[in-house]
Amino acid sequence: AVMIQAGLALMAQPDRQAPTLSKMQSELFAALPNPAKESTALAILDFIAQAGPKAAPAIPTLRRALGPEQRPAAILKASIKACGSLGKEGIPLIPDLLNHVGEPVNPPTDTIENFTEAFLKARHNQAVVDAIAAMGPSAVPEMEKLFTRPQIGARFFALLVFEKMGGAAKDAMPTISKLAAANGDPSALVNGTAVRVRTKLESESKK
């Protein structure tokens, strides 16, 4: 806690941001492969998350924290959260984040809502949705690219991100509306989810 507060205080001084971030990244590099230093790694990832967009130069370090090496679940969750805290500056990390999206195991299939709940509990799906949604409107074009993929899960995931974004996803409305139209998508899951997301965004736009 002391390290984080000291680091954040230094990050508030423009001339101290670069050396402070460099020092923190060095400490993180040393801590990541050492299970005994997991608490240190988590503290530094929390520091990056609290620093927000000012920590954008740490993108290469966050990419390393995300893998491909095996990481403890807590480290991955903290790394994913830190990526989202960068806002639009974190857009380059979206491909890395998508590597941590997984399919649900034996999900309930009676309703789209139940499937969504099961999907978000798989691997780090909820954390990844939250992180990309936190990047705001700048992430919309990257998510729309997923609609061109043949995998149902990719299109479904993009819709969940837009649902989480809420009004920030307004630029995606034309694409979402196409998927929500009758026979707009060959998958009933994607089509039904698009209807739900469109309804939510339309409701928020009226507020």
Side-chain angles (χ1 to χ4, degrees):
V2 173
M3 178 175 63
I4 290 174
Q5 293 307 315
L8 292 174
L10 290 171
M11 289 293 284
Q13 305 173 39
D15 62 328
R16 298 298 301 164
Q17 288 180 8
T20 300
L21 196 56
S22 177
K23 173 62 175 176
M24 289 292 195
Q25 290 182 88
S26 296
E27 293 292 333
L28 182 57
F29 273 131
L32 281 174
N34 188 344
K37 292 189 175 182
E38 182 175 331
S39 60
T40 298
L42 290 173
I44 296 171
L45 288 167
D46 186 35
F47 157 79
I48 293 174
Q50 292 192 53
K54 290 185 290 188
I59 283 177
T61 302
L62 289 174
R63 183 168 284 129
R64 179 170 177 176
L66 290 170
E69 298 89 346
Q70 292 294 320
R71 304 289 187 206
I75 294 291
L76 283 175
K77 186 175 181 180
S79 300
I80 292 168
K81 180 181 178 181
C83 293
S85 74
L86 300 182
K88 65 180 181 180
E89 302 296 334
I91 298 298
L93 288 166
I94 287 180
D96 303 273
L97 291 171
L98 294 179
N99 287 332
H100 294 281
V101 174
E103 293 293 336
V105 177
N106 298 322
T109 56
D110 54 327
T111 66
I112 292 174
E113 288 74 19
N114 283 345
F115 185 91
T116 300
E117 182 179 358
F119 182 88
L120 291 175
K121 289 180 179 178
R123 290 186 67 185
H124 296 280
N125 291 0
Q126 181 68 72
V128 176
V129 167
D130 292 344
I132 297 177
M135 295 177 184
S138 296
V140 168
E142 293 300 316
M143 288 296 96
E144 286 186 315
K145 291 178 183 178
L146 297 185
F147 289 142
T148 65
R149 294 190 183 182
Q151 298 92 343
I152 293 172
R155 305 196 300 280
F156 176 63
F157 176 82
L159 287 168
L160 294 186
V161 172
F162 291 144
E163 184 174 33
K164 181 68 177 183
M165 276 190 190
K170 63 181 181 180
D171 290 345
M173 274 297 287
T175 306
I176 295 171
S177 295
K178 287 181 181 179
L179 293 175
N183 301 318
D185 191 277
S187 164
L189 172 65
V190 174
N191 180 253
T193 304
V195 171
R196 185 181 71 194
V197 175
R198 180 186 63 184
T199 300
K200 176 183 178 180
L201 296 189
E202 287 177 342
S203 175
E204 291 194 3
S205 68
K206 296 176 182 178
K207 294 181 181 179

